[in-house]
Amino acid sequence: MAQISLDKLAHSYVAKPQTDADFALKQIDYVWQDGGAYALLGPSGCGKTTLLNIISGLLTPSKGHIRFDDDDVTLRSPEQRNIAQVFQFPVIYDTMTVEQNLAFPLVNRGVARSEIDRRVADMLDTLDLKDKARQRARGLSADEKQKISLGRGLVRYDVNAILFDEPLTVIDPHMKWQLRTKLKQLHEQFGHTMIYVTHDQTEALTFADKVVVMYEGEVVQIGTPEELFDEPAHTFVGYFIGSPGMNVLPCEVDKNIVHMAGAKFTLNKGYADLVGKLEIGIRPEFIDVKSAAEANGAGVAIQVTAVENIGRHKIVRGTVNGYAIDVLTDEDQSIPSDAYAVFNTSRFNVYQNSHLVRAHS
Amino acid sequence: MIDKPFNNKAWLFVLPVFFLVAISAIIPLMTVVNYSIQDTFGNNQYFYVGTEWYTEVLGSSRFHDALGRNLLFSGIILLIEIPLGIFIALSMPRKGFWVPVCLILMALPLLIPWNVVGTIWQVFGRADIGLLGRVLTGLGVDYNYATNWLDAWITIIVMDVWHWTSLVVLLCYSGLVAIPEAYYQAARIDGASKWKVFRYIQLPKMQRVLLIAVLLRFMDSFMIYTEPFVLTGGGPGNSTTFLSIDLVNMAIGQFDLGPAAAMSIIYFLIILLLSWVFYTVMSNFGADAPNKEVG
């Protein structure tokens, strides 16, 4: 087990990278705390798998260093780094039994037979695979195979970290919950550092203590699920996390006065003079739809274009002075014909060139 | 249980296939069967002799010798071509500029017709004018496939290996490139040696294509005809007279249609039987039913 530090790390698949765009992974500095549960979240092609493979040693970064505690492991192979990795598709050794699969990494490392037997028996218990121990692994279902892939990492008690590369992709939805719960439970039991790559926000937010959001090869925000929800550091984060995503509308900001969507809002916080592309981010949860009478002068008229019922909530899609916005309301909220969108201005986030700006006071 | 639907229209779908198979396989085969149980003294006068030809063929030392040669030849061919094919496929690059180059080089021998291959090597190996023959003679090796049975065998085996190892290579290669990268990555993380990667990942994943390769190479080598025919016509002596050559000698040379037909049927059944054995053994190897216990 170890703390993993990334030091000015960057990677390009191009031999001689010239511009920023050549980098699949732009420079990142970060320390993964020992025993933490992290999720790397982002759309396909954002560099999250690249980052994961650099940590596991399957890929050597073009720039920077990676350290396990104080050891520089940048040039070391995966086996020397002593990490475990679970891939998108379950990797099992077809011709071996479940037992032999779990014993394989230990056999390769020359662990004593009695110790192997003990650990494999333990692991079969933990993974609920005891009754299948002597079956060929190839006949099992996808989730059982994925458990074996995971088990092959966990039987090595001393692994520095366990890395997951979208491990639930091929698992049936009803088994996803079970496996995810199992992962959480294993994390608590063994306390390994776990890094979990996914493009599914639900998976990331339920699994991780800290979520690393990536976008176009860049880490745009690292934070707890609450932080990502309340204060997205980048408009992409606001849009990517939450369902529906954050509304992002162009605006003008003058100290504590915001002009947006043809209306004027007064905030209880002020901003320095801002230049560049300015936008307001406001989550659909923090907008209300009211009738003119209820709104009583607050809010802006909204033309409702669609209402989607999503169980306990409704998504109201509409336009405010020509700008499209989504609003999340309670299921039993009626949508009046003279609807007004009332914004909770304390939840306004101001973005300058897509990055969050902190208020002055 | 749902009752099985019973519908006579199904015959309409089966009949065309039945018709085609009858014309292409069953009727020709039955004429051979017909010959094999009759004798003639010419004049299109036939009479029934039962299993006489079969007993005669099966009891003849001529048949035993040829069969022995065939089994030995196919055995040697499989033992050389399969491991060599796997080895070459493993050594071939998986990506980059050299992939198409290797593939084309490998495919070249397969494009050359059998008799041309025979002729090439026949000339190549001749002690008087062939490059190989002259070089070997010049090096002091007493090489002459026309007089020495071992030289003739070696020449035919080299010829077949040169001609057909590519097929095994290409089949194995297709099996290898189909293995997802994650398997190799997982094996590295599990600390597996190169041998273990081969034994537990590559070989099991190649099992299907290897089965095809073994079956094709077995059937083809067991039916070998053109190469020894072109090279020495079955000689020196009878040393390269395989079943197929013997069969042609008997049927066309001596015009013994009855015994030749019986021999054809026996030959056919042997290939069928051995192919079935290979298929069963190889597809059951490490691939038992999902829920069967293994010790």
Side-chain angles (χ1 to χ4, degrees), chain B residues 88-121:
Chain B
I88 296 175
L90 285 173
S91 326
M92 272 166 66
R94 302 283 155 75
K95 49 188 159 199
F97 170 75
W98 291 103
V99 171
V101 177
C102 286
L103 288 178
I104 289 170
L105 280 178
M106 280 297 144
L108 273 181
L110 300 176
L111 300 175
I112 302 174
W114 287 261
N115 54 345
V116 176
V117 172
T119 315
I120 291 174
W121 282 85

Side-chain angles (χ1 to χ4, degrees), chain A residues 11-13 24-25 46-55 59 197:
Chain A
H11 187 75
S12 170
Y13 291 102
L25 181 67
C46 71
K48 51 195 195 306
T49 298
T50 304
L51 178 54
L52 196 74
N53 286 344
I54 288 174
I55 297 174
L59 209 60
V197 161

Side-chain angles (χ1 to χ4, degrees), chain A residues 328-344:
Chain A
L328 200 67
T329 67
D330 281 342
E331 172 191 27
D332 45 6
Q333 167 106 41
S334 62
I335 310 298
S337 52
D338 55 342
Y340 271 71
V342 180
F343 297 85
N344 179 352

Side-chain angles (χ1 to χ4, degrees), chain A residues 143-158:
Chain A
D143 56 290
E144 289 168 328
K145 287 181 181 173
Q146 200 59 300
K147 275 197 213 166
I148 296 174
S149 313
L150 171 64
R152 282 206 314 273
L154 290 171
V155 282
R156 293 154 51 201
Y157 290 157
D158 57 339

